[in-house]
Amino acid sequence: MSVSVRSILDAKGRNVVTTGSTTTLSEAAKILNEKRIGAIVIVGADGRISGIFTERDVVNAVAKHGIDSLDKQVASLMTAKVHRCREDTTVDELMELMTQKRFRHVPVEEKGKLTGIISIGDVVKSRIREIELEAEQIKAYIAG
Ligand code: AMP
């Protein structure tokens, strides 16, 4: 049985860095840098997810708009169609989604409320832990 998103969030916490869509690229880059994260979830006044803005979007914007990108609002640079998961989503399902869609962040939503975010680093960490546990079980089995 694959580990669930819920157990990852229980271990790492449910705090998500969010901002509004009028935040500029230079402000967003500062947040990414200060918080040492790769993605910011963009939320509306109601707190609901309206987009996701990641370090990849910084690179895309600078490549496309050059120095003018700094004052652009994330509303025009973010991805508005956000793939989300739930707390009962499994790590295997997340790996499949991240590989297929080629992104490294998935916000977690329960009943319209943002309850966490999973990065590809969290997925890798969880898989390594699973593999270590399996190896320990096999060793214990062999040792009798
Ligand atoms: P990332 O690999 O997460 O830095 O993101 C690569 C691209 O996919 C960026 O343009 C992001 O805005 C977008 N992206 C990241 N996560 C998601 C997601 N969960 N749903 C939709 N798009 C995403």
Short mmCIF file of all heavy atoms in Angstrom, two decimals, residues 52 54 56-57 60 79 81-83 102-107, ligand 1:
data_model
loop_
_atom_site.label_atom_id
_atom_site.label_comp_id
_atom_site.label_asym_id
_atom_site.label_seq_id
_atom_site.Cartn_x
_atom_site.Cartn_y
_atom_site.Cartn_z
N ILE A 52 -0.91 28.88 -9.69
CA ILE A 52 0.35 28.50 -9.06
C ILE A 52 1.48 29.19 -9.82
O ILE A 52 1.41 29.32 -11.06
CB ILE A 52 0.53 26.96 -8.99
CG1 ILE A 52 1.77 26.58 -8.17
CG2 ILE A 52 0.59 26.33 -10.38
CD1 ILE A 52 1.77 25.11 -7.70
N THR A 54 5.70 29.26 -10.04
CA THR A 54 6.90 28.56 -9.59
C THR A 54 8.16 29.20 -10.18
O THR A 54 8.09 30.07 -11.05
CB THR A 54 6.88 27.06 -10.00
OG1 THR A 54 7.21 26.94 -11.38
CG2 THR A 54 5.54 26.42 -9.72
N ARG A 56 10.07 28.03 -12.27
CA ARG A 56 10.05 27.83 -13.72
C ARG A 56 9.37 29.02 -14.42
O ARG A 56 9.77 29.45 -15.50
CB ARG A 56 9.32 26.51 -14.05
CG ARG A 56 8.97 26.26 -15.50
CD ARG A 56 10.17 26.12 -16.41
NE ARG A 56 11.14 25.19 -15.87
CZ ARG A 56 12.40 25.12 -16.28
NH1 ARG A 56 12.85 25.93 -17.21
NH2 ARG A 56 13.21 24.24 -15.75
N ASP A 57 8.33 29.55 -13.78
CA ASP A 57 7.60 30.69 -14.36
C ASP A 57 8.45 31.97 -14.33
O ASP A 57 8.28 32.83 -15.20
CB ASP A 57 6.26 30.89 -13.63
CG ASP A 57 5.36 29.68 -13.78
OD1 ASP A 57 5.23 29.18 -14.91
OD2 ASP A 57 4.83 29.22 -12.76
N ASN A 60 10.67 31.48 -17.37
CA ASN A 60 9.86 31.69 -18.59
C ASN A 60 9.61 33.18 -18.83
O ASN A 60 9.75 33.67 -19.96
CB ASN A 60 8.51 30.99 -18.48
CG ASN A 60 8.63 29.48 -18.54
OD1 ASN A 60 9.66 28.94 -18.96
ND2 ASN A 60 7.59 28.79 -18.11
N THR A 79 0.25 29.77 -13.73
CA THR A 79 -0.60 28.76 -14.37
C THR A 79 -1.93 28.77 -13.62
O THR A 79 -1.96 28.57 -12.40
CB THR A 79 0.05 27.37 -14.28
OG1 THR A 79 1.35 27.44 -14.87
CG2 THR A 79 -0.78 26.31 -14.99
N LYS A 81 -4.73 26.93 -14.44
CA LYS A 81 -5.41 25.62 -14.33
C LYS A 81 -4.54 24.72 -13.45
O LYS A 81 -3.61 24.08 -13.93
CB LYS A 81 -5.59 25.02 -15.73
CG LYS A 81 -6.48 23.81 -15.77
CD LYS A 81 -6.65 23.30 -17.19
CE LYS A 81 -7.39 21.96 -17.21
NZ LYS A 81 -6.61 20.87 -16.61
N VAL A 82 -4.83 24.73 -12.17
CA VAL A 82 -3.97 24.04 -11.20
C VAL A 82 -4.45 22.61 -10.94
O VAL A 82 -5.61 22.40 -10.58
CB VAL A 82 -3.94 24.82 -9.86
CG1 VAL A 82 -3.01 24.14 -8.87
CG2 VAL A 82 -3.52 26.27 -10.08
N HIS A 83 -3.55 21.66 -11.10
CA HIS A 83 -3.85 20.28 -10.72
C HIS A 83 -3.65 20.15 -9.22
O HIS A 83 -2.61 20.52 -8.71
CB HIS A 83 -2.93 19.30 -11.45
CG HIS A 83 -3.25 19.17 -12.90
ND1 HIS A 83 -4.07 18.19 -13.40
CD2 HIS A 83 -2.88 19.93 -13.95
CE1 HIS A 83 -4.19 18.35 -14.70
NE2 HIS A 83 -3.48 19.40 -15.07
N ARG A 102 4.76 16.92 -15.96
CA ARG A 102 6.06 17.62 -15.90
C ARG A 102 6.03 18.86 -15.02
O ARG A 102 6.48 19.93 -15.42
CB ARG A 102 6.55 17.99 -17.32
CG ARG A 102 6.84 16.78 -18.16
CD ARG A 102 7.34 17.15 -19.52
NE ARG A 102 7.70 15.98 -20.28
CZ ARG A 102 8.85 15.34 -20.18
NH1 ARG A 102 9.77 15.77 -19.35
NH2 ARG A 102 9.10 14.27 -20.91
N PHE A 103 5.42 18.73 -13.84
CA PHE A 103 5.59 19.78 -12.83
C PHE A 103 5.99 19.14 -11.51
O PHE A 103 5.89 17.92 -11.36
CB PHE A 103 4.37 20.70 -12.71
CG PHE A 103 3.03 20.02 -12.59
CD1 PHE A 103 2.76 19.15 -11.56
CD2 PHE A 103 2.03 20.28 -13.52
CE1 PHE A 103 1.51 18.55 -11.45
CE2 PHE A 103 0.78 19.68 -13.42
CZ PHE A 103 0.54 18.82 -12.38
N ARG A 104 6.46 19.98 -10.58
CA ARG A 104 7.09 19.45 -9.35
C ARG A 104 6.36 19.85 -8.09
O ARG A 104 6.88 19.65 -6.99
CB ARG A 104 8.55 19.94 -9.28
CG ARG A 104 9.41 19.41 -10.44
CD ARG A 104 10.70 20.17 -10.57
NE ARG A 104 10.44 21.54 -11.02
CZ ARG A 104 11.40 22.46 -11.20
NH1 ARG A 104 12.66 22.14 -10.96
NH2 ARG A 104 11.09 23.66 -11.64
N HIS A 105 5.16 20.42 -8.23
CA HIS A 105 4.40 20.87 -7.06
C HIS A 105 2.93 20.55 -7.24
O HIS A 105 2.38 20.79 -8.32
CB HIS A 105 4.56 22.39 -6.87
CG HIS A 105 5.99 22.79 -6.72
ND1 HIS A 105 6.79 23.12 -7.79
CD2 HIS A 105 6.77 22.90 -5.62
CE1 HIS A 105 8.00 23.43 -7.36
NE2 HIS A 105 8.02 23.30 -6.04
N VAL A 106 2.29 20.05 -6.18
CA VAL A 106 0.85 19.80 -6.24
C VAL A 106 0.20 20.27 -4.93
O VAL A 106 0.47 19.70 -3.86
CB VAL A 106 0.55 18.29 -6.48
CG1 VAL A 106 -0.97 18.06 -6.58
CG2 VAL A 106 1.23 17.78 -7.75
N PRO A 107 -0.64 21.31 -5.02
CA PRO A 107 -1.36 21.75 -3.82
C PRO A 107 -2.39 20.69 -3.38
O PRO A 107 -2.93 19.96 -4.22
CB PRO A 107 -2.08 23.02 -4.28
CG PRO A 107 -1.39 23.45 -5.52
CD PRO A 107 -0.90 22.18 -6.17
P1 AMP B 1 7.42 23.28 -11.57
O1 AMP B 1 8.12 22.11 -12.21
O2 AMP B 1 6.52 22.86 -10.43
O3 AMP B 1 8.37 24.39 -11.22
O4 AMP B 1 6.39 23.88 -12.66
C1 AMP B 1 6.56 23.82 -14.05
C2 AMP B 1 5.39 24.57 -14.70
O5 AMP B 1 4.15 23.90 -14.36
C3 AMP B 1 5.21 26.01 -14.26
O6 AMP B 1 4.75 26.78 -15.38
C4 AMP B 1 4.12 25.96 -13.19
O7 AMP B 1 3.31 27.13 -13.11
C5 AMP B 1 3.29 24.77 -13.63
N1 AMP B 1 2.77 24.00 -12.49
C6 AMP B 1 3.43 23.64 -11.38
N2 AMP B 1 2.65 22.93 -10.56
C7 AMP B 1 1.46 22.82 -11.17
C8 AMP B 1 0.20 22.19 -10.83
N3 AMP B 1 0.03 21.51 -9.70
N4 AMP B 1 -0.82 22.30 -11.73
C9 AMP B 1 -0.65 22.97 -12.89
N5 AMP B 1 0.48 23.57 -13.27
C10 AMP B 1 1.53 23.49 -12.42
#
